[in-house]
Amino acid sequence: KMNIKKAQQIILKKLRGKDLLKTAEAFYKKQGKKINPLDTGVIGKFVEEYCFGKSHDNKQSRDLPCAELKTKTLKRGKNDWCFEGQAITKMTKSQIESSNYKDHPVFDKCSDIIIVFHYNNKLIRVGIIQPTIEDHKRASKDYEAIREKAKKSSSQEQFILSSYKGICEHGFFNVATKKFGSQKGRTFNLTSSYIKKCFQENAVCA
């Protein structure tokens, strides 16, 4: 049975030293497919299929049985790497109203995460996030604050338009706005500080 550490090693072994975009193009060409290099999600889909033989889907369950798989394009700052938040899963008013933190997909997805950090189509590091019990307790407080906001919203549209500034102050996720096709939606996002911590303290260099 594959665990999160083994999955991390598989990614490192298969992608270390390779040009990710060129490898993806060659991989899909063999299947008679073309990729759009401007698609921001193409590397994530490729890593999932190339390393684990699993086609990407939009289900709210984990990408892998042992972990949620995320890819992160790094950006260069003046003196060091810059980090931005990362979407975990979609938020809906009805689902949050009817679920407590441990029943919502965000709990399962956040419990074990692999982040593939890359820059200029090169693998840089592969990190692991496994929040502690205390981390989850703090995140649960944030979730309940969001849940109260959802209950007070009269519709999904109002829920999306509501301000969440200052709502998530305890845990490892916050709330962000994202486009799903032509529709605006809300997502749980891993915070930039938590991603930075993963990169610096819990990631293996390629």
Side-chain angles (χ1 to χ4, degrees):
K1 189 178 178 180
M2 189 187 300
N3 59 37
I4 194 168
K5 288 280 188 183
K6 188 174 181 181
Q8 180 189 45
Q9 290 304 313
I10 287 170
I11 295 167
L12 287 162
K13 185 178 179 180
K14 289 202 168 191
L15 298 179
R16 184 179 273 132
K18 292 182 178 178
D19 183 301
L20 299 182
L21 192 58
K22 287 182 179 178
T23 306
E25 285 174 340
F27 176 71
Y28 287 114
K29 188 177 181 181
K30 286 181 180 178
Q31 301 176 32
K33 299 176 184 176
K34 282 187 177 181
I35 62 170
N36 177 4
L38 300 178
D39 179 2
T40 55
V42 71
I43 297 299
K45 294 169 189 173
F46 161 67
V47 172
E48 195 172 340
E49 194 167 349
Y50 182 76
C51 294
F52 302 103
K54 182 181 181 295
S55 296
H56 181 76
D57 58 51
N58 291 317
K59 293 178 181 178
Q60 282 196 299
S61 54
R62 289 181 178 190
D63 297 317
L64 307 173
C66 63
E68 175 71 359
L69 182 62
K70 295 294 182 185
T71 54
K72 190 71 184 165
T73 305
L74 291 168
K75 295 183 179 180
R76 279 286 190 189
K78 191 174 181 181
N79 301 309
D80 205 350
W81 298 110
C82 292
F83 296 88
E84 296 175 346
Q86 175 84 25
I88 306 166
T89 192
K90 192 176 181 179
M91 292 168 53
T92 63
K93 171 179 160 62
S94 59
Q95 191 176 37
I96 288 172
E97 281 182 321
S98 62
S99 306
N100 62 36
Y101 175 55
K102 287 192 175 181
D103 293 331
H104 193 281
V106 72
F107 173 77
D108 187 46
K109 287 194 171 210
C110 283
S111 293
D112 301 280
I113 303 173
I114 295 173
I115 302 185
V116 179
F117 295 97
H118 58 96
Y119 179 71
N120 278 353
N121 295 319
K122 293 288 185 182
L123 184 67
I124 303 298
R125 296 184 191 182
V126 182
I128 287 174
I129 292 178
Q130 290 180 302
T132 64
I133 292 171
E134 287 304 312
D135 286 334
H136 277 303
K137 281 182 180 177
R138 289 191 291 270
S140 180
K141 288 182 181 179
D142 289 340
Y143 181 89
E144 287 305 317
I146 295 168
R147 199 176 180 193
E148 285 304 308
K149 196 92 170 175
K151 288 177 179 178
K152 290 175 182 176
S153 301
S154 60
S155 64
Q156 172 68 12
E157 186 179 14
Q158 188 185 4
F159 173 65
I160 291 169
L161 295 173
S162 295
S163 172
Y164 291 86
K165 191 174 181 181
I167 288 284
C168 297
E169 298 179 338
H170 306 95
F172 45 81
F173 61 69
N174 54 25
V175 179
T177 305
K178 185 178 178 179
K179 268 203 165 187
F180 298 92
S182 61
Q183 300 291 317
K184 266 189 177 181
R186 288 283 188 178
T187 61
F188 287 103
N189 265 33
L190 279 175
T191 64
S192 57
S193 58
Y194 212 74
I195 291 172
K196 183 178 181 179
K197 182 180 178 182
C198 171
F199 182 83
Q200 293 176 336
E201 299 177 14
N202 300 305
V204 177
C205 294

